[in-house]
Amino acid sequence: MSSDSHPVDEVPSASSPLPGHVAIIMDGNNRWARARGLSAIRGHHAGVGAVRAVVRRAAERGVGTLTLFAFSSENWRRPRDEVSALMELFVLALKREVGKLHRNNIRLSIVGDRSALHASLVRLIEKAEAKTRDNTGLHLIVAANYGGRWDIAQAARHLAERAAAGEFPPDQISEQMLASEMEMHVPEVDLCIRTSGEQRISNFLLWQLAYAELFFSPVLWPDFGAEAFDEALGAYASRTRRFGKTDEQIEVERA
């Protein structure tokens, strides 16, 4: 993926009250639906409403990049009818939402392994990305058929191929070079939110979460709106990000 990015060794300021890049593991659609006697897909449809609310709030607050974990590489293990319904919902969301994103100056990128996606869905993704490419507001990234291990592995493979072709000797490979080959080639995540009370990363953005603050919300994703997002931003603003430094060093920098 090609997008504006910070060098991999550049870390955000410890005093920044607003995260530049927020990533969200949207969890709890199925539990939300079961609690109401509804089907799983009804829960996923309800989750789209939460996506709209959070995207709107992130743009209002001035967040630079928002990454949403929509479909992991492990989600193919779910029941076949649920996976099919999720793909149909993805198509529907692209058709309905891209125009709104464009009118609000939001740039959309879809990251992940597209080889397993239907050709018609890939064409919609490419069309949506092309339509919003020049927008200068919030950068909305949707991770679909994405896994952190896959991202690191494919980046390593690309570097190995380039080294074998004689572009550079293997001992010159650096963290910066590896990061530049990743599909998720974006600023490192400042704040990662997971909803529904679960407290794990689930193979999401393993490289980019190296210095992220983690916020676990008990709220199921369909109920996660602007106020819940603001709560996560408030928690982030209250933390001191040290990046290996001492509290004394941070205080000197702030002064």
Side-chain angles (χ1 to χ4, degrees):
M1 167 182 173
S2 176
S3 60
D4 297 335
S5 63
H6 296 161
V8 69
D9 58 349
E10 177 182 322
V11 293
S13 167
S15 61
S16 176
L18 183 72
H21 185 180
V22 178
I24 304 180
I25 302 173
M26 305 179 294
D27 195 10
N29 289 346
N30 280 6
R31 274 169 283 173
W32 184 92
R34 284 199 303 270
R36 291 160 176 77
L38 303 173
S39 65
I41 192 56
R42 288 288 296 278
H44 295 306
H45 275 275
V48 174
V51 170
R52 293 192 190 101
V54 169
V55 169
R56 185 182 307 114
R57 189 56 137 211
E60 291 171 350
R61 294 295 302 272
V63 172
T65 304
L66 176 66
T67 299
L68 303 177
F69 202 10
F71 190 86
S72 76
S73 51
E74 290 78 25
N75 284 154
W76 294 107
R77 302 170 185 169
R78 293 193 173 193
R80 183 176 299 179
D81 58 345
E82 183 179 350
V83 171
S84 296
L86 280 168
M87 292 297 110
E88 292 173 3
L89 180 59
F90 195 5
V91 169
L92 184 63
L94 284 171
K95 290 180 177 179
R96 288 182 174 178
E97 305 297 330
V98 171
K100 301 174 187 175
L101 296 176
H102 185 52
R103 288 192 295 274
N104 286 282
N105 196 32
I106 295 172
R107 176 160 62 110
L108 175 66
S109 298
I110 311 295
V111 299
D113 183 1
R114 299 184 186 183
S115 64
L117 303 181
H118 194 278
S120 60
L121 175 55
V122 173
R123 286 194 295 271
L124 277 175
I125 289 171
E126 292 172 347
K127 184 178 179 180
E129 290 178 328
K131 185 179 183 66
T132 64
R133 182 170 293 129
D134 296 327
N135 291 341
T136 58
L138 173 70
H139 185 192
L140 174 61
I141 302 173
V142 177
N145 196 24
Y146 177 87
R149 290 177 176 177
W150 165 83
D151 201 0
I152 295 171
Q154 63 89 29
R157 184 172 61 251
H158 292 165
L159 281 181
E161 291 169 350
R162 292 175 59 192
E167 290 188 39
F168 45 77
D171 62 4
Q172 287 187 6
I173 294 175
S174 64
E175 292 182 19
Q176 291 85 352
M177 292 174 68
L178 184 62
S180 70
E181 292 287 349
M182 289 191 183
E183 179 81 2
M184 188 68 77
H185 182 41
V186 291
E188 292 189 5
V189 176
D190 298 306
L191 171 64
C192 179
I193 302 167
R194 181 167 186 148
T195 61
S196 84
E198 301 293 344
Q199 298 186 19
R200 56 182 178 272
I201 297 174
S202 297
N203 195 24
F204 184 44
L205 302 183
L206 298 181
W207 181 277
Q208 298 82 359
L209 288 175
Y211 285 101
E213 295 294 318
L214 305 179
F215 181 84
F216 299 109
S217 170
V219 179
L220 300 177
W221 177 249
D223 293 327
F224 192 91
E227 291 185 1
F229 186 70
D230 283 343
E231 180 184 358
L233 295 186
Y236 172 86
S238 70
R239 300 180 187 180
T240 299
R241 308 185 73 199
R242 296 179 180 84
F243 304 109
K245 299 178 182 179
T246 66
D247 287 337
E248 290 75 13
Q249 287 174 298
I250 298 299
E251 289 301 321
V252 169
E253 291 177 359
R254 286 175 172 171

